[in-house]
Amino acid sequence: MSRARTQANCARIVLVALLVTCAPSLASTEKSLSDIAPAVDGLLGSPAEDAFLVIGISGTADFVQLGGHLGTAFLDFPQVTARQQQLRGKIETVCSDLGLTVEINVAENGAEFLDYPLSGSAEDMAAIVQQVLIRVYGVDQDTALEFETNGF
C-alpha cells in the first residue's frame, strides 16, 4: 500500500470513527449480519479508488472497515485507540484462522494499520467479515450494525 493511500486511510478512519461514535444518526443505516454481502458487493463494484464500507456495532465505538474498488477489497484495522490496540491479538488470531495474511502499514504519525486483503466473491468476503464480527466483537444476528459508505 502506498504512503499516500495509508495517509488517506488514516484520515478516513479518524473521520469515520468520529461519525460512528459522535453522530451515529443521519449517515448511518441500521443493518444486521445478513446485510453485509450486498454492501460488500456494492464496494466491489465501485470505481472510486477511495471507496470504503464501515460496519459499526451499535452502541459501541467498535467497527470493521473495508476498503476497495473494482473487484478488490481489504479489511483495515487501525491501531489508533487503546481499545483497538487491546483487540489486536484477537484480530490477528481470528484473521489467521480464517486464512488471511496481514499487511502492516504505518502512517506518518506512527499509527499502525492491519490490512488483510480479501479474495473471492462478495459472499465469500462477507462470510469472512461476519466471522470477524462474531469472533472478535461477539456480534450475533440480533446485533444492530450501522453501515457507513463512501464511493458507492
Side-chain angles (χ1 to χ4, degrees):
M1 181 179 295
S2 72
R3 175 176 282 212
R5 185 171 171 191
T6 299
Q7 290 171 339
N9 281 344
C10 183
R12 184 174 64 222
I13 289 165
V14 170
L15 174 62
V16 170
L18 288 172
L19 285 173
V20 170
T21 57
C22 298
S25 55
L26 301 176
S28 64
T29 306
E30 193 168 288
K31 303 284 186 176
S32 69
L33 288 172
S34 61
D35 297 307
I36 294 173
V40 170
D41 190 51
L43 176 67
L44 294 175
S46 176
E49 290 187 21
D50 63 346
F52 64 85
L53 165 66
V54 176
I55 303 170
I57 302 164
S58 292
T60 76
D62 293 332
F63 63 92
V64 171
Q65 177 170 294
L66 291 91
H69 74 288
L70 297 178
T72 65
F74 61 94
L75 277 167
D76 184 25
F77 297 97
Q79 297 297 290
V80 178
T81 68
R83 170 76 172 152
Q84 292 165 337
Q85 293 167 6
Q86 176 188 23
L87 291 172
R88 181 178 183 145
K90 197 171 195 179
I91 291 166
E92 290 174 331
T93 298
V94 168
C95 289
S96 177
D97 289 350
L98 293 169
L100 303 177
T101 303
V102 68
E103 295 176 6
I104 299 174
N105 291 290
V106 182
E108 280 189 16
N109 66 0
E112 288 189 340
F113 296 83
L114 308 178
D115 291 342
Y116 292 89
L118 300 174
S119 61
S121 67
E123 292 79 17
D124 295 336
M125 293 180 195
I128 289 171
V129 174
Q130 289 170 338
Q131 283 302 304
V132 169
L133 286 164
I134 291 166
R135 295 168 61 183
V136 174
Y137 300 101
V139 168
D140 62 30
Q141 188 56 41
D142 296 327
T143 303
L145 303 173
E146 298 172 357
F147 288 19
E148 304 281 344
T149 62
N150 182 62
F152 67 100

Short mmCIF file of all heavy atoms in Angstrom, two decimals, residues 9-21 52-66 75-81 83-84 87 91 113 129 132-133 136-137 139 145-148:
data_model
loop_
_atom_site.label_atom_id
_atom_site.label_comp_id
_atom_site.label_asym_id
_atom_site.label_seq_id
_atom_site.Cartn_x
_atom_site.Cartn_y
_atom_site.Cartn_z
N ASN A 9 -6.11 6.60 4.28
CA ASN A 9 -6.83 5.68 5.16
C ASN A 9 -6.85 6.21 6.58
O ASN A 9 -7.87 6.13 7.27
CB ASN A 9 -6.19 4.29 5.15
CG ASN A 9 -6.58 3.50 3.93
OD1 ASN A 9 -7.53 3.83 3.24
ND2 ASN A 9 -5.82 2.46 3.65
N CYS A 10 -5.74 6.75 7.05
CA CYS A 10 -5.65 7.27 8.41
C CYS A 10 -6.66 8.40 8.60
O CYS A 10 -7.42 8.41 9.56
CB CYS A 10 -4.24 7.76 8.70
SG CYS A 10 -4.01 8.36 10.39
N ALA A 11 -6.68 9.33 7.67
CA ALA A 11 -7.61 10.45 7.77
C ALA A 11 -9.05 9.96 7.69
O ALA A 11 -9.92 10.42 8.43
CB ALA A 11 -7.33 11.45 6.66
N ARG A 12 -9.31 9.01 6.80
CA ARG A 12 -10.65 8.47 6.64
C ARG A 12 -11.11 7.76 7.90
O ARG A 12 -12.24 7.92 8.34
CB ARG A 12 -10.65 7.52 5.43
CG ARG A 12 -12.01 6.97 5.11
CD ARG A 12 -11.97 6.15 3.83
NE ARG A 12 -11.12 4.99 4.00
CZ ARG A 12 -10.27 4.54 3.09
NH1 ARG A 12 -10.11 5.17 1.97
NH2 ARG A 12 -9.56 3.46 3.31
N ILE A 13 -10.23 7.00 8.51
CA ILE A 13 -10.59 6.24 9.70
C ILE A 13 -10.92 7.19 10.85
O ILE A 13 -11.88 6.98 11.57
CB ILE A 13 -9.47 5.27 10.09
CG1 ILE A 13 -9.44 4.14 9.06
CG2 ILE A 13 -9.66 4.72 11.48
CD1 ILE A 13 -8.20 3.32 9.09
N VAL A 14 -10.14 8.24 11.01
CA VAL A 14 -10.42 9.20 12.07
C VAL A 14 -11.78 9.83 11.84
O VAL A 14 -12.59 9.94 12.76
CB VAL A 14 -9.31 10.26 12.15
CG1 VAL A 14 -9.70 11.39 13.08
CG2 VAL A 14 -8.01 9.62 12.61
N LEU A 15 -12.07 10.23 10.60
CA LEU A 15 -13.35 10.83 10.29
C LEU A 15 -14.49 9.85 10.54
O LEU A 15 -15.49 10.20 11.16
CB LEU A 15 -13.38 11.30 8.83
CG LEU A 15 -14.72 11.83 8.32
CD1 LEU A 15 -15.13 13.06 9.11
CD2 LEU A 15 -14.63 12.14 6.85
N VAL A 16 -14.34 8.62 10.08
CA VAL A 16 -15.39 7.63 10.26
C VAL A 16 -15.58 7.30 11.73
O VAL A 16 -16.71 7.18 12.21
CB VAL A 16 -15.08 6.36 9.44
CG1 VAL A 16 -16.02 5.23 9.81
CG2 VAL A 16 -15.19 6.68 7.96
N ALA A 17 -14.49 7.19 12.48
CA ALA A 17 -14.61 6.91 13.91
C ALA A 17 -15.40 8.01 14.59
O ALA A 17 -16.25 7.75 15.45
CB ALA A 17 -13.23 6.77 14.55
N LEU A 18 -15.16 9.25 14.20
CA LEU A 18 -15.92 10.36 14.77
C LEU A 18 -17.39 10.27 14.38
O LEU A 18 -18.27 10.50 15.20
CB LEU A 18 -15.33 11.70 14.32
CG LEU A 18 -13.99 12.07 14.93
CD1 LEU A 18 -13.43 13.32 14.25
CD2 LEU A 18 -14.12 12.28 16.42
N LEU A 19 -17.66 9.93 13.12
CA LEU A 19 -19.05 9.79 12.69
C LEU A 19 -19.77 8.68 13.45
O LEU A 19 -20.89 8.84 13.90
CB LEU A 19 -19.11 9.48 11.19
CG LEU A 19 -18.86 10.63 10.24
CD1 LEU A 19 -18.78 10.11 8.80
CD2 LEU A 19 -19.93 11.68 10.35
N VAL A 20 -19.10 7.54 13.59
CA VAL A 20 -19.72 6.40 14.24
C VAL A 20 -19.96 6.67 15.71
O VAL A 20 -21.01 6.35 16.26
CB VAL A 20 -18.88 5.12 14.04
CG1 VAL A 20 -19.39 3.98 14.90
CG2 VAL A 20 -18.89 4.72 12.57
N THR A 21 -18.99 7.29 16.39
CA THR A 21 -19.12 7.47 17.83
C THR A 21 -19.86 8.74 18.21
O THR A 21 -20.55 8.76 19.23
CB THR A 21 -17.74 7.48 18.52
OG1 THR A 21 -16.95 8.51 17.95
CG2 THR A 21 -17.06 6.15 18.39
N PHE A 52 -15.12 2.92 0.56
CA PHE A 52 -14.99 2.13 1.77
C PHE A 52 -16.36 1.83 2.36
O PHE A 52 -17.34 2.50 2.06
CB PHE A 52 -14.08 2.79 2.80
CG PHE A 52 -14.57 4.11 3.34
CD1 PHE A 52 -15.45 4.16 4.42
CD2 PHE A 52 -14.13 5.30 2.81
CE1 PHE A 52 -15.89 5.37 4.93
CE2 PHE A 52 -14.55 6.52 3.30
CZ PHE A 52 -15.44 6.55 4.38
N LEU A 53 -16.38 0.82 3.19
CA LEU A 53 -17.55 0.40 3.95
C LEU A 53 -17.09 0.26 5.39
O LEU A 53 -16.11 -0.43 5.67
CB LEU A 53 -18.07 -0.95 3.43
CG LEU A 53 -19.06 -1.71 4.31
CD1 LEU A 53 -20.37 -0.95 4.45
CD2 LEU A 53 -19.31 -3.11 3.73
N VAL A 54 -17.79 0.94 6.28
CA VAL A 54 -17.51 0.80 7.70
C VAL A 54 -18.74 0.19 8.33
O VAL A 54 -19.86 0.68 8.14
CB VAL A 54 -17.19 2.15 8.37
CG1 VAL A 54 -16.99 1.98 9.87
CG2 VAL A 54 -15.95 2.77 7.74
N ILE A 55 -18.53 -0.89 9.08
CA ILE A 55 -19.62 -1.57 9.77
C ILE A 55 -19.40 -1.33 11.26
O ILE A 55 -18.51 -1.93 11.87
CB ILE A 55 -19.65 -3.07 9.45
CG1 ILE A 55 -19.77 -3.27 7.94
CG2 ILE A 55 -20.79 -3.75 10.21
CD1 ILE A 55 -19.56 -4.71 7.48
N GLY A 56 -20.20 -0.43 11.82
CA GLY A 56 -20.11 -0.12 13.24
C GLY A 56 -21.07 -0.97 14.04
O GLY A 56 -22.15 -1.34 13.55
N ILE A 57 -20.69 -1.28 15.25
CA ILE A 57 -21.55 -2.04 16.15
C ILE A 57 -22.30 -1.04 17.01
O ILE A 57 -21.69 -0.28 17.77
CB ILE A 57 -20.71 -3.02 17.00
CG1 ILE A 57 -19.94 -3.96 16.07
CG2 ILE A 57 -21.61 -3.80 17.96
CD1 ILE A 57 -18.81 -4.70 16.73
N SER A 58 -23.62 -1.00 16.84
CA SER A 58 -24.45 -0.01 17.52
C SER A 58 -24.18 0.02 19.01
O SER A 58 -24.02 -1.02 19.65
CB SER A 58 -25.93 -0.29 17.29
OG SER A 58 -26.26 -0.06 15.95
N GLY A 59 -24.10 1.24 19.54
CA GLY A 59 -23.91 1.42 20.98
C GLY A 59 -22.47 1.29 21.44
O GLY A 59 -22.20 1.34 22.63
N THR A 60 -21.54 1.10 20.49
CA THR A 60 -20.12 0.96 20.84
C THR A 60 -19.29 1.82 19.89
O THR A 60 -19.81 2.34 18.90
CB THR A 60 -19.62 -0.49 20.72
OG1 THR A 60 -19.44 -0.82 19.33
CG2 THR A 60 -20.58 -1.49 21.37
N ALA A 61 -18.02 1.93 20.18
CA ALA A 61 -17.09 2.60 19.27
C ALA A 61 -16.40 1.59 18.35
O ALA A 61 -15.54 1.96 17.56
CB ALA A 61 -16.04 3.38 20.07
N ASP A 62 -16.77 0.31 18.44
CA ASP A 62 -16.14 -0.74 17.64
C ASP A 62 -16.68 -0.73 16.21
O ASP A 62 -17.86 -0.50 15.98
CB ASP A 62 -16.39 -2.11 18.26
CG ASP A 62 -15.68 -2.29 19.60
OD1 ASP A 62 -14.64 -1.64 19.82
OD2 ASP A 62 -16.19 -3.06 20.43
N PHE A 63 -15.78 -1.01 15.27
CA PHE A 63 -16.18 -1.09 13.87
C PHE A 63 -15.18 -1.93 13.10
O PHE A 63 -14.06 -2.15 13.51
CB PHE A 63 -16.27 0.31 13.24
CG PHE A 63 -14.98 1.07 13.20
CD1 PHE A 63 -14.14 1.00 12.10
CD2 PHE A 63 -14.59 1.86 14.28
CE1 PHE A 63 -12.94 1.71 12.06
CE2 PHE A 63 -13.39 2.57 14.25
CZ PHE A 63 -12.57 2.50 13.14
N VAL A 64 -15.64 -2.42 11.95
CA VAL A 64 -14.80 -3.11 10.99
C VAL A 64 -14.85 -2.27 9.72
O VAL A 64 -15.92 -1.85 9.29
CB VAL A 64 -15.32 -4.53 10.72
CG1 VAL A 64 -14.58 -5.18 9.56
CG2 VAL A 64 -15.20 -5.40 11.96
N GLN A 65 -13.70 -2.01 9.14
CA GLN A 65 -13.63 -1.20 7.93
C GLN A 65 -13.10 -2.01 6.77
O GLN A 65 -12.15 -2.76 6.92
CB GLN A 65 -12.73 0.01 8.16
CG GLN A 65 -12.57 0.86 6.92
CD GLN A 65 -11.90 2.17 7.20
OE1 GLN A 65 -12.45 2.99 7.89
NE2 GLN A 65 -10.71 2.36 6.66
N LEU A 66 -13.73 -1.84 5.62
CA LEU A 66 -13.25 -2.44 4.38
C LEU A 66 -13.00 -1.33 3.37
O LEU A 66 -13.80 -0.40 3.26
CB LEU A 66 -14.30 -3.38 3.78
CG LEU A 66 -14.57 -4.67 4.53
CD1 LEU A 66 -15.69 -4.47 5.51
CD2 LEU A 66 -14.93 -5.76 3.55
N LEU A 75 -9.76 -5.83 4.49
CA LEU A 75 -10.15 -5.44 5.85
C LEU A 75 -9.06 -4.54 6.38
O LEU A 75 -7.87 -4.80 6.16
CB LEU A 75 -10.25 -6.67 6.76
CG LEU A 75 -11.54 -7.46 6.70
CD1 LEU A 75 -11.36 -8.81 7.40
CD2 LEU A 75 -12.67 -6.68 7.34
N ASP A 76 -9.44 -3.50 7.08
CA ASP A 76 -8.49 -2.49 7.55
C ASP A 76 -8.76 -2.22 9.03
O ASP A 76 -9.83 -1.71 9.37
CB ASP A 76 -8.67 -1.23 6.72
CG ASP A 76 -7.68 -0.14 7.05
OD1 ASP A 76 -6.59 -0.46 7.55
OD2 ASP A 76 -7.99 1.03 6.80
N PHE A 77 -7.82 -2.60 9.88
CA PHE A 77 -7.98 -2.41 11.32
C PHE A 77 -6.96 -1.39 11.82
O PHE A 77 -5.78 -1.70 11.98
CB PHE A 77 -7.75 -3.74 12.07
CG PHE A 77 -8.76 -4.80 11.74
CD1 PHE A 77 -8.48 -5.77 10.81
CD2 PHE A 77 -9.99 -4.82 12.37
CE1 PHE A 77 -9.39 -6.76 10.50
CE2 PHE A 77 -10.93 -5.80 12.07
CZ PHE A 77 -10.62 -6.78 11.14
N PRO A 78 -7.41 -0.16 12.08
CA PRO A 78 -6.49 0.83 12.64
C PRO A 78 -6.09 0.44 14.06
O PRO A 78 -6.88 -0.17 14.78
CB PRO A 78 -7.31 2.11 12.62
CG PRO A 78 -8.73 1.67 12.64
CD PRO A 78 -8.77 0.35 11.93
N GLN A 79 -4.89 0.81 14.43
CA GLN A 79 -4.40 0.56 15.78
C GLN A 79 -4.11 1.91 16.44
O GLN A 79 -2.99 2.20 16.83
CB GLN A 79 -3.16 -0.33 15.73
CG GLN A 79 -3.42 -1.71 15.17
CD GLN A 79 -4.38 -2.49 16.04
OE1 GLN A 79 -4.04 -2.89 17.15
NE2 GLN A 79 -5.59 -2.69 15.56
N VAL A 80 -5.15 2.73 16.52
CA VAL A 80 -5.02 4.10 16.99
C VAL A 80 -5.42 4.24 18.45
O VAL A 80 -4.70 4.82 19.25
CB VAL A 80 -5.84 5.06 16.09
CG1 VAL A 80 -5.75 6.48 16.60
CG2 VAL A 80 -5.36 4.97 14.64
N THR A 81 -6.58 3.69 18.81
CA THR A 81 -7.09 3.83 20.17
C THR A 81 -6.62 2.67 21.06
O THR A 81 -6.21 1.62 20.57
CB THR A 81 -8.63 3.88 20.20
OG1 THR A 81 -9.14 2.59 19.82
CG2 THR A 81 -9.18 4.94 19.24
N ARG A 83 -8.52 0.76 22.79
CA ARG A 83 -9.43 -0.36 22.54
C ARG A 83 -8.98 -1.15 21.30
O ARG A 83 -8.96 -2.38 21.32
CB ARG A 83 -10.86 0.16 22.35
CG ARG A 83 -11.85 -0.86 21.85
CD ARG A 83 -12.28 -1.83 22.90
NE ARG A 83 -13.39 -2.65 22.39
CZ ARG A 83 -13.63 -3.86 22.80
NH1 ARG A 83 -12.91 -4.40 23.75
NH2 ARG A 83 -14.63 -4.55 22.30
N GLN A 84 -8.63 -0.45 20.23
CA GLN A 84 -8.18 -1.13 19.02
C GLN A 84 -6.90 -1.91 19.28
O GLN A 84 -6.74 -3.04 18.83
CB GLN A 84 -7.98 -0.11 17.89
CG GLN A 84 -9.27 0.50 17.41
CD GLN A 84 -9.07 1.74 16.58
OE1 GLN A 84 -8.05 2.42 16.67
NE2 GLN A 84 -10.07 2.07 15.77
N LEU A 87 -7.51 -5.16 21.16
CA LEU A 87 -8.09 -6.24 20.34
C LEU A 87 -7.13 -6.80 19.30
O LEU A 87 -7.45 -7.76 18.61
CB LEU A 87 -9.36 -5.75 19.65
CG LEU A 87 -10.55 -5.48 20.57
CD1 LEU A 87 -11.67 -4.81 19.79
CD2 LEU A 87 -11.03 -6.78 21.21
N ILE A 91 -7.72 -10.01 16.84
CA ILE A 91 -7.90 -9.78 15.40
C ILE A 91 -6.90 -10.61 14.61
O ILE A 91 -7.27 -11.30 13.65
CB ILE A 91 -7.74 -8.28 15.07
CG1 ILE A 91 -8.92 -7.48 15.63
CG2 ILE A 91 -7.60 -8.07 13.56
CD1 ILE A 91 -8.71 -5.98 15.65
N PHE A 113 -1.74 0.15 10.88
CA PHE A 113 -2.99 -0.33 10.32
C PHE A 113 -2.76 -1.77 9.89
O PHE A 113 -1.81 -2.06 9.17
CB PHE A 113 -3.40 0.52 9.11
CG PHE A 113 -3.69 1.94 9.47
CD1 PHE A 113 -2.66 2.86 9.59
CD2 PHE A 113 -4.99 2.34 9.72
CE1 PHE A 113 -2.92 4.17 9.95
CE2 PHE A 113 -5.26 3.66 10.08
CZ PHE A 113 -4.22 4.57 10.20
N VAL A 129 -16.04 -11.34 6.88
CA VAL A 129 -16.37 -10.18 7.70
C VAL A 129 -17.31 -10.58 8.83
O VAL A 129 -17.13 -10.17 9.98
CB VAL A 129 -16.98 -9.05 6.84
CG1 VAL A 129 -17.46 -7.90 7.72
CG2 VAL A 129 -15.96 -8.56 5.82
N VAL A 132 -15.37 -12.35 11.52
CA VAL A 132 -14.59 -11.39 12.31
C VAL A 132 -15.50 -10.69 13.32
O VAL A 132 -15.16 -10.58 14.50
CB VAL A 132 -13.87 -10.37 11.40
CG1 VAL A 132 -13.28 -9.22 12.21
CG2 VAL A 132 -12.78 -11.07 10.59
N LEU A 133 -16.65 -10.24 12.87
CA LEU A 133 -17.58 -9.57 13.78
C LEU A 133 -18.04 -10.49 14.91
O LEU A 133 -18.13 -10.07 16.06
CB LEU A 133 -18.79 -9.03 13.00
CG LEU A 133 -18.51 -7.79 12.15
CD1 LEU A 133 -19.63 -7.58 11.13
CD2 LEU A 133 -18.35 -6.57 13.04
N VAL A 136 -14.47 -11.70 17.00
CA VAL A 136 -13.70 -10.64 17.66
C VAL A 136 -14.59 -9.79 18.55
O VAL A 136 -14.23 -9.47 19.69
CB VAL A 136 -12.96 -9.75 16.63
CG1 VAL A 136 -12.29 -8.56 17.33
CG2 VAL A 136 -11.93 -10.55 15.86
N TYR A 137 -15.78 -9.43 18.06
CA TYR A 137 -16.63 -8.45 18.75
C TYR A 137 -17.87 -9.05 19.41
O TYR A 137 -18.63 -8.32 20.04
CB TYR A 137 -17.04 -7.35 17.78
CG TYR A 137 -15.85 -6.62 17.20
CD1 TYR A 137 -15.39 -6.91 15.92
CD2 TYR A 137 -15.18 -5.65 17.94
CE1 TYR A 137 -14.30 -6.24 15.39
CE2 TYR A 137 -14.09 -4.98 17.41
CZ TYR A 137 -13.65 -5.28 16.14
OH TYR A 137 -12.56 -4.63 15.62
N VAL A 139 -20.60 -10.24 18.02
CA VAL A 139 -21.84 -9.89 17.33
C VAL A 139 -22.64 -11.16 17.04
O VAL A 139 -22.06 -12.22 16.81
CB VAL A 139 -21.49 -9.14 16.02
CG1 VAL A 139 -22.69 -9.01 15.11
CG2 VAL A 139 -20.90 -7.78 16.34
N LEU A 145 -26.21 -3.27 13.56
CA LEU A 145 -24.99 -2.75 12.94
C LEU A 145 -25.33 -1.47 12.18
O LEU A 145 -26.46 -1.32 11.69
CB LEU A 145 -24.41 -3.79 11.97
CG LEU A 145 -24.09 -5.15 12.56
CD1 LEU A 145 -23.67 -6.12 11.45
CD2 LEU A 145 -23.00 -5.05 13.61
N GLU A 146 -24.37 -0.59 12.07
CA GLU A 146 -24.55 0.66 11.33
C GLU A 146 -23.55 0.69 10.19
O GLU A 146 -22.35 0.53 10.41
CB GLU A 146 -24.35 1.86 12.26
CG GLU A 146 -25.36 1.91 13.37
CD GLU A 146 -25.06 2.96 14.41
OE1 GLU A 146 -24.02 3.64 14.30
OE2 GLU A 146 -25.86 3.12 15.33
N PHE A 147 -24.04 0.87 8.98
CA PHE A 147 -23.18 0.89 7.80
C PHE A 147 -22.92 2.33 7.38
O PHE A 147 -23.86 3.12 7.23
CB PHE A 147 -23.85 0.16 6.63
CG PHE A 147 -23.92 -1.34 6.77
CD1 PHE A 147 -23.79 -1.99 7.99
CD2 PHE A 147 -24.14 -2.11 5.65
CE1 PHE A 147 -23.88 -3.36 8.08
CE2 PHE A 147 -24.23 -3.50 5.73
CZ PHE A 147 -24.10 -4.11 6.95
N GLU A 148 -21.67 2.65 7.18
CA GLU A 148 -21.25 3.94 6.62
C GLU A 148 -20.54 3.61 5.32
O GLU A 148 -19.73 2.68 5.27
CB GLU A 148 -20.27 4.65 7.55
CG GLU A 148 -20.78 4.88 8.96
CD GLU A 148 -21.73 6.04 9.09
OE1 GLU A 148 -21.77 6.88 8.17
OE2 GLU A 148 -22.42 6.12 10.10
#
